[in-house]
Every structure is written in C-alpha cells, then in structure tokens.
Amino acid sequence: MKILVIGSGGREHAIVRRLAADTPAPDLHAAPGNPGIAALATCHDVAVDDLDGQVALARELDPELVVVGPEAPLVAGAADRLREAGFAVFGPSAEAARLEGSKAWAKEVMEAASVPTAMAVSVAAGEEVRPALDRVNPLRDVPFVVKADGLAAGKGVVVTEDLGQAVAHGRAVIGAGGSVVVEEYLDGPEVSLFCISDGERVVPLAPAQDFKRAGEGDTGPNTGGMGAYSPLPWAPAGLEREVLAKVAQPTIDELASRGTPFIGVLYCGLALTARGVRVVEFNARFGDPETQVVLERLASPFGPLLLAAARGDLREAEAPRWHRDAAVTVVLAAGGYPGRARSGHPITGLGAAEATGAHVIQAGTAADEDGTLRSAGGRVLCVVGTGTSLSAARAQALAGVEAIELPGAFHRGDIAERAAEDEAAAAGHEA
Ligand code: AMP
Ligand code: GLY
C-alpha cells in the first residue's frame, strides 16, 4: 500500500515509524517530513501549509491513503482538497476540524450532544473578561481558566490562581484581535484518548497521559506536551467504553447529523473529576507526544485501520490489539521553549541513546548538507522507552535522553514518575 503522510513533527515521525512496522511494509512518502522520517519514507519538499502542492504531489504519487498529521492544514481544508481530488484521506474536513479550531464551537457541539464538559463563557470584549471570571468562579476557590479561541499549539491556555494574570491573558488575546473562552476549573487527572472514526463508527485506541507544563512537578507555562506514557494502570476499568458512550460517539453522531461527518482521529482530552469524566478539549488529530507511546503499544495493523476509516467503513479493519509492555516518552526541548526557542544547535548522541534500547523520534530537527543534525523547533526530540513496567520504560527513556547532547536543551525528569511508583507499590501488594 502506498501512503502519503503530511507533516514534519514528532507525531508524524511516530505515525510513519508505526506504518513502517506493518506487514507487508507499505511504500511510505512524507511531505515535507524531517530527517528522522527520511530514514523510513521518501520525503517530498512540500510545506505543511501548501495545500496546492499537497494535491499536486498526491496526483503525482497516486497513494491509496493520505494521512494529514497536524491541525493547521486540517483546519485550512487540506483533507477537503485531497478528497475532492479523489483520494482516501485520514483527517477531518475543515468544518469538522473546527472541533479543534474553535473552542467556542466545540462547546456548542458538546452542549448539543450532551457531552460532559466544563461550564464555559465565550468572551470577545476586553471589559467582559473580569465579569466572566467572576461568573464562572465566584468563590475564587479554584484556579481561573482562560483559553484563546483559535489554534495555539497548546500554548493559548492560562490556568492560574492569579485573577490579575487571568484578566491580563484574556485582554491580551482579545487585544490582538482574538476572543477567549473562560472556563470552569476541572480538577482531577487528565487522560488523552484517541478515537478513530469513519464518520459514523468509533474505535478507541489505548489511553495515555500527557504532561503539559514545562517544568517538573507541573510548574511553569503550558506547552504542547513534555512527555507521555501508556498504559494508565490507575485508570478505572471500562474508561474507554465510558468515553466512547458519553463523549466520542455522541460527538461523532452530532457532526454526522449536521452533515459534516468527522473522519479521522477525535482526540478526547479528558479530566477524570470527582463528578465524572469531563472533556477538557477536543483535537482533530493525533496528540503529540502521546502518539509516540500509544502507537508503540499497538500490536495490530495500523495502515489498514486508517484506510478503513478513510474509506468510510471501520468494520473492514481488525480491532486494535495492544502489547502489554509500557511505553514512556520524554521530550527534549530547546532552551526558551515554549517561548522563543533557540534553534540551530548541533545534536549528537542519537546512536548512544538508541543503544540503551530506547528509540528517538525527531520533532524539530533539520539536517545540514553535510548531514549534521541540528535543532529546528521548540520540541526537538522525543525519546521513547519501553519495558515490562512503567518504571522500566521510564528508566530506558531517561537513559536515552542522558545520552544525547544538545546545548541548552531541557527535559522533565518526572514524566510518569508517580504512576510508576503507584504501579510498583500495587505490584508489591500483590506479591
Ligand atoms: P487545552 O488546550 O484546552 O487542552 O488546555 C491545555 C491544558 O490546560 C490542559 O491539558 C489542562 O492541563 C489545562 N486546562 C485546560 N482547561 C482546563 C480546565 N477547565 N480546568 C483545568 N485545567 C484545564
Ligand atoms: N499533547 C497535546 C496535544 O497534542 O495537543
């Protein structure tokens, strides 16, 4: 099977890596790809935002399946354009991708579909930010949550106990021509669950947990994600079934009934609160870096699953099966991230990192003509470790990170730490 993957980040490297592991191995192409992807697929020099170029490339290659990785081209209509040109596309239409592209619209869909989520107020005027915060959080006994309405790569959200900071963020976003959503604070552990849909049916993958804050102990600003792990030994039994019934299927049904079916992956970002599961956010694509750990554990064919969804009948695909082993990924980020990240530094030690048994996913890298690998983004690498326990997987990922040299880079040493400790304690009880 010939497959074209659009994108250039760690998520797309992980997707390509997992597609390459299918048997028979597919003929893989990427646009534009990155140096890590280039080891597994033929890369074509077509940018993520060049929709005309993507259609022209697809016409030239004639792939059986096109997978659109990032949200920006989806929201811009890449899947629509490629479908109009006659290709089977894994990725939602621009209209359906508004679930990610507009937090206000996502709230409206959730309300219509009775999907449990945080109470929210949309605000488009600077002077209305403060009254909205008072309305949503009158007792000021929990943090304030203010979210930019449009795409912000995970960085448009401020969760803070500081009312002044919450007001300032809202006003800044509105002042720059945007609007915000002021939300009720959701307390409880977060879960990312990817739900594959053909527009009608829904198949959940294995849940993962992401670490959004830049600093250890969940401190510092929000990022796109600093690490992830799967499985979640602490998650309640039947979580996937519950999310399917209360969140994913009603949302997919709602979009289908509006005549804008969602074909692709509905990323359900959830909080498991004392009052039950609540949606924190929807995304219209695979999560990054959660994909790195979820796909690492997928034991059943991946390409055929995506193709069946793209063709509109998931019943053609084998139900996902999972390896028992745990996977942990730790992100190596450039100094300055999630602010202005410093790029262009040489990266060495990838061989030594992989000698630990971990593997390295490239997220923000570029190669010089002489082959020197350099940092070219905020999140530069994701090191993925596996093992029979979260502790073992974590140790492997961290050993891999320690083997890599990248001036000024930083990572979180506490990814999956608590879950690994809890898992080890529970195993001790059983023994
Ligand atoms: P989002 O882009 O909406 O996923 O927000 C990014 C991160 O901010 C989430 O993963 C949460 O950690 C945090 N967050 C967002 N909304 C809420 C909320 N209503 N309550 C608590 N934390 C939130
Ligand atoms: N890791 C969070 C996201 O992909 O949005």
Side-chain angles (χ1 to χ4, degrees), residues 26 38 44 52 94 115 141 216 230 336 354:
H44 302 267
D52 290 337
V115 168
D141 53 346
E216 290 184 5
S230 177
E354 298 210 326

Side-chain angles (χ1 to χ4, degrees), residues 103 118 145 147 154 157 159 183-187 190 212 222 280-281:
K103 293 195 188 276
V145 181
K147 302 180 169 188
V157 177
V159 181
E183 237 179 58
E184 166 197 9
Y185 178 73
L186 296 174
D187 203 2
E190 285 185 49
K212 290 261 166 56
N222 268 317
V280 175
E281 64 164 343

Side-chain angles (χ1 to χ4, degrees), residues 11 16 43 47 68 83 88 107 182-183 185 277 282 285 291 313 318 320 363 370 383 399 422 426:
R11 164 186 43 230
V16 166
C43 290
V68 183
R83 264 188 210 110
K107 286 286 180 195
V182 169
E183 237 179 58
Y185 178 73
V277 171
F282 281 138
R285 36 84 194 166
T291 300
D313 196 349
E318 198 182 312
D370 68 0
V383 181
D422 291 351

Side-chain angles (χ1 to χ4, degrees), residues 226-229 289-290 292-293 327-331 361 382-385 397 415:
M226 292 297 295
Y229 67 95
E290 297 98 312
Q292 284 79 320
V293 290
V328 173
T329 189
V330 176
V331 170
I361 293 289
C382 309
V383 181
V384 185
I415 303 299

Side-chain angles (χ1 to χ4, degrees), residues 15-378:
I15 289 171
V16 166
R17 177 184 151 91
R18 184 56 190 81
L19 288 171
D22 276 349
T23 36
D27 176 13
L28 291 169
H29 295 259
N34 68 31
I37 294 173
L40 301 164
T42 307
C43 290
H44 302 267
D45 193 13
V46 174
V48 165
D49 60 1
D50 178 4
L51 307 195
D52 290 337
Q54 288 155 18
V55 171
L57 177 65
R59 288 210 167 103
E60 184 188 317
L61 295 172
D62 196 24
E64 224 175 308
L65 172 66
V66 184
V67 180
V68 183
E71 61 274 22
L74 289 166
V75 169
D80 308 77
R81 294 283 308 277
L82 288 156
R83 264 188 210 110
E84 277 156 29
F87 298 99
V89 183
F90 184 83
S93 66
E95 184 66 21
R98 286 175 70 206
L99 274 186
E100 172 163 7
S102 167
K103 293 195 188 276
W105 191 73
K107 286 286 180 195
E108 195 242 293
V109 170
M110 283 187 258
E111 192 176 333
S114 301
V115 168
T117 186
M119 187 211 354
V121 180
S122 292
V123 181
E127 68 276 11
E128 285 169 20
V129 176
R130 174 72 198 268
L133 288 163
D134 286 337
R135 235 172 91 200
V136 171
N137 189 5
L139 302 179
R140 300 188 189 172
D141 53 346
V142 290
F144 300 98
V145 181
V146 180
K147 302 180 169 188
D149 187 35
L151 289 184
K155 293 177 273 189
V157 177
V158 162
V159 181
T160 177
E161 313 229 338
D162 181 342
L163 177 62
Q165 194 196 345
V167 172
H169 177 62
R171 289 200 179 140
V173 171
I174 292 167
S179 60
V180 296
V181 171
V182 169
E183 237 179 58
E184 166 197 9
Y185 178 73
L186 296 174
D187 203 2
E190 285 185 49
V191 173
S192 303
L193 186 67
F194 304 155
C195 294
I196 307 284
S197 181
D198 58 12
E200 189 181 332
R201 289 158 281 262
V202 185
V203 172
L205 300 185
Q209 190 174 50
D210 180 21
F211 292 75
K212 290 261 166 56
R213 300 286 189 132
E216 290 184 5
D218 294 326
T219 54
N222 268 317
T223 70
M226 292 297 295
Y229 67 95
S230 177
L232 312 178
W234 50 267
L239 176 67
E240 292 98 310
R241 230 176 314 125
E242 184 183 357
V243 175
L244 185 63
K246 291 192 180 153
V247 175
Q249 192 68 59
T251 302
I252 294 297
D253 291 349
E254 174 67 24
L255 291 195
S257 77
R258 294 179 181 212
T260 53
F262 186 104
I263 297 168
V265 55
L266 177 64
Y267 166 133
C268 301
L270 309 158
L272 308 191
T273 75
R275 290 179 297 142
V277 171
R278 296 280 184 279
V279 174
V280 175
E281 64 164 343
F282 281 138
N283 291 318
R285 36 84 194 166
F286 284 105
D288 194 350
E290 297 98 312
T291 300
Q292 284 79 320
V293 290
V294 171
L295 294 187
E296 188 60 28
R297 299 188 53 237
L298 179 67
S300 49
F302 185 44
L305 178 67
L306 302 184
L307 180 64
R311 281 191 179 150
D313 196 349
L314 270 171
R315 288 172 304 187
E316 287 171 7
E318 198 182 312
R321 284 179 284 110
W322 302 98
H323 294 296
R324 292 184 73 93
D325 273 8
V328 173
T329 189
V330 176
V331 170
L332 195 63
Y337 178 76
R340 187 189 299 261
R342 291 183 280 281
S343 279
H345 290 298
I347 304 167
T348 53
L350 296 196
E354 298 210 326
T356 66
H359 69 266
V360 180
I361 293 289
Q362 298 190 21
T365 62
D368 288 349
E369 295 219 327
D370 68 0
T372 306
L373 195 66
R374 292 187 186 274
S375 55

Side-chain angles (χ1 to χ4, degrees), residues 371-392:
T372 306
L373 195 66
R374 292 187 186 274
S375 55
R379 293 185 291 175
V380 180
L381 302 170
C382 309
V383 181
V384 185
T386 52
T388 53
S389 65
L390 283 174
S391 295

